[in-house]
């Protein structure tokens, strides 16, 4: 099978590309490097020990995307490409709506024109909004609290519409919880531009001395230690979920959401202490006010993915911290 991996040079896409190559899939990566670097492609080749084709292409450019489909006989698409920074999406809503929505509409149109109707889409736990209580199940009402989240909400709805109109389409809507960690080779990992917004990349930078201390956003939540609880999932476990979703797409039709998490929550301080253990250092932190828009607790009910995809996360916080440390230690200046 030949798989188009959009956004394959990014954090989750690069790890998934390695898993796909390992499993014997042929892949074509399309990316515009708006949030990644060309160097990643060589690293994927090195880690997987296999070659693949790459198209530098902005998915908002329909003609360029059509050329990709004209050049390769694509059987299915895994669609990672998108902008993902919540804060930035509030400052640049139009850029987020344009990039995430137009790219996905172009992709679906190109797929339809080329008779390709299997799609795995990167959705997010953010679609559960602020009014549900964890553990989240796929049938809960959806909402969003920022433009980024609304793009995921709208794309999910669009893809449900596509599947309702044409019964040959098969779309897995993968709702990721909090992917962290890195490939065990130390060659691939998360490398955000500028000061990280998310907890784990921030801790990694504190651990290598690039940032002075972690700010813990609130210690007065209704959680065991007062800090926010999230469902952190090892990025390699998450990557493997995509292979299971591709198999699901080959055997089913319709649009179906699946939570990909571990089903367990960890607090900010638990992650920090887990990382301290992995790197053998005490990491400085101070408590700051709550971050606007944050909720106390988010974690998944993953029983649907286990039952219907035959997928379950296997790695724990110790593995995530070990592999995250191994990555940042080897790449203190990023990729
Ligand atoms: P990432 O930014 O590392 O990767 C996204 C890739 O898409 C980048 O390489 C970027 O250059 C590319 N891209 C963006 N817009 C493009 C366009 N118009 N044309 C071509 N390429 C484009 O992000 P990631 O963490 O790997 O996330 C992948 C997907 O998963 C995103 O859609 C994101 O919203 C979603 N997601 C991520 C998380 C997370 O915590 N990392 C959580 C939930 C959902
Ligand atoms: C992020 C995204 C969300 C996405 C989710 C899953 C943001 C604002 N939200 O949320 O859209 O669905 O990941 O991938 O990016 N924290 C600190 N100090 C920091 C950074 C974070 O204490 O410097 C705390 C937060 O308050 C939270 C926890 O750490 O309690 C995790 O934060 P983060 O990594 O940003 O993930 P989410 O808040 O779950």
């Amino acid at each position: 099978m030949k798989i188009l991996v959009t956004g394959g040079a990014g954090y989750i896409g690069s790890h998934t590309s390695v898993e796909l190559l390992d499993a014997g899939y042929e892949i074509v990566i399309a990316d515009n490097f708006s949030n990644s670097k060309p160097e990643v492609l060589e690293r994927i080749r090195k880690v997987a020990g296999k070659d693949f084709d790459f198209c530098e292409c902005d998915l908002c450019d329909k003609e360029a995307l059509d050329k990709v489909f004209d050049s390769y006989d694509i059987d299915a698409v895994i669609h990672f490409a998108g902008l993902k920074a919540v804060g930035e999406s509030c400052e640049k809503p139009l850029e987020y709506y344009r990039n995430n929505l137009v790219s996905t509409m172009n992709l679906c149109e190109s797929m339809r024109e080329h008779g390709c109707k299997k799609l795995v889409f990167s959705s997010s736990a953010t679609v559960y909004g602020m009014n549900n209580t964890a553990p989240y199940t796929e049938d809960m009402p959806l909402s969003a609290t920022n433009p980024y989240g609304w793009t995921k909400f709208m794309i999910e709805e669009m893809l449900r519409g596509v599947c309702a109109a044409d019964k040959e389409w098969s779309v897995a809507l993968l709702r990721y919880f909090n992917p962290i960690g890195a490939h065990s080779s130390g060659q691939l990992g998360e490398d955000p531009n500028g000061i990280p917004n998310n907890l784990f990349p921030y801790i990694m930078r504190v651990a290598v001395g690039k940032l002075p201390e972690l700010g813990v956003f609130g210690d007065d939540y209704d959680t065991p230690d007062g800090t926010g609880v999230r469902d952190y999932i090892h990025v390699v476990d998450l990557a493997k979920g995509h292979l299971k979703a591709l198999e699901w797409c080959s055997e089913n039709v319709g649009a179906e959401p699946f939570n990909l998490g571990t089903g367990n929550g960890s607090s900010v301080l638990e992650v920090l202490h887990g990382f301290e253990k992995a790197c053998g250092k005490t990491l400085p932190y101070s408590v700051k006010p709550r971050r606007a828009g944050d909720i106390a607790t988010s974690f998944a009910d993953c029983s649907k993915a286990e039952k219907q995809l035959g997928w379950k996360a296997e790695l724990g916080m110790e593995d995530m911290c070990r592999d995250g440390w191994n990555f940042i230690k080897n790449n203190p200046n990023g990729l």
Side-chain angles (χ1 to χ4, degrees), residues 3 67 177 297 322:
I3 313 297
K67 273 195 199 136
F177 280 70
T297 302
R322 179 198 59 227

Side-chain angles (χ1 to χ4, degrees), residues 6-15 29-37 40 55-61 79-85 96 98-100 102-104 121-126 148 151-152 155 174-180 189-192 198 235 238 242:
T6 78
Y11 173 47
I12 306 170
S14 58
H15 288 82
I29 292 182
D31 203 300
N32 66 355
F33 298 126
S34 58
N35 196 38
S36 53
K37 296 180 186 134
V40 173
C55 304
E56 186 164 350
C57 159
D58 185 338
L59 269 67
C60 292
D61 178 348
H79 180 35
F80 295 104
L83 299 176
K84 63 164 184 177
Y96 268 67
R98 170 172 290 282
N99 188 73
N100 292 1
V102 172
S103 60
T104 308
F121 173 64
S122 298
S123 188
S124 168
T126 197
Y148 165 72
T151 69
K152 296 298 179 192
I155 293 169
L174 302 185
R175 296 180 183 156
Y176 310 155
F177 280 70
N178 292 57
I180 61 169
E190 189 171 11
D191 180 26
N198 300 112
V235 65
L238 185 69
H242 292 75

Side-chain angles (χ1 to χ4, degrees), residues 119-121 170-174 240-251 258 260 309 311:
L119 176 65
V120 176
F121 173 64
S170 167
V171 179
L173 306 165
L174 302 185
K240 288 179 177 164
H242 292 75
L243 277 68
K244 294 293 187 184
L246 273 181
E247 287 170 22
W248 180 90
C249 286
S250 294
E251 292 156 10
F258 296 101
L260 298 188
L309 302 180
W311 173 90

Side-chain angles (χ1 to χ4, degrees), residues 244-296:
K244 294 293 187 184
L246 273 181
E247 287 170 22
W248 180 90
C249 286
S250 294
E251 292 156 10
N252 296 275
V253 289
E256 205 61 60
F258 296 101
N259 288 339
L260 298 188
T262 63
N264 301 311
S266 303
S267 74
V268 174
L269 292 179
E270 280 170 339
V271 179
L272 181 71
H273 296 324
F275 207 90
E276 288 179 328
K277 215 168 141 200
C279 70
K281 304 180 207 181
T282 301
L283 302 176
Y285 74 91
S286 65
V287 176
K288 299 272 187 308
R290 290 183 178 194
R291 181 172 68 181
D294 269 355
I295 52 173

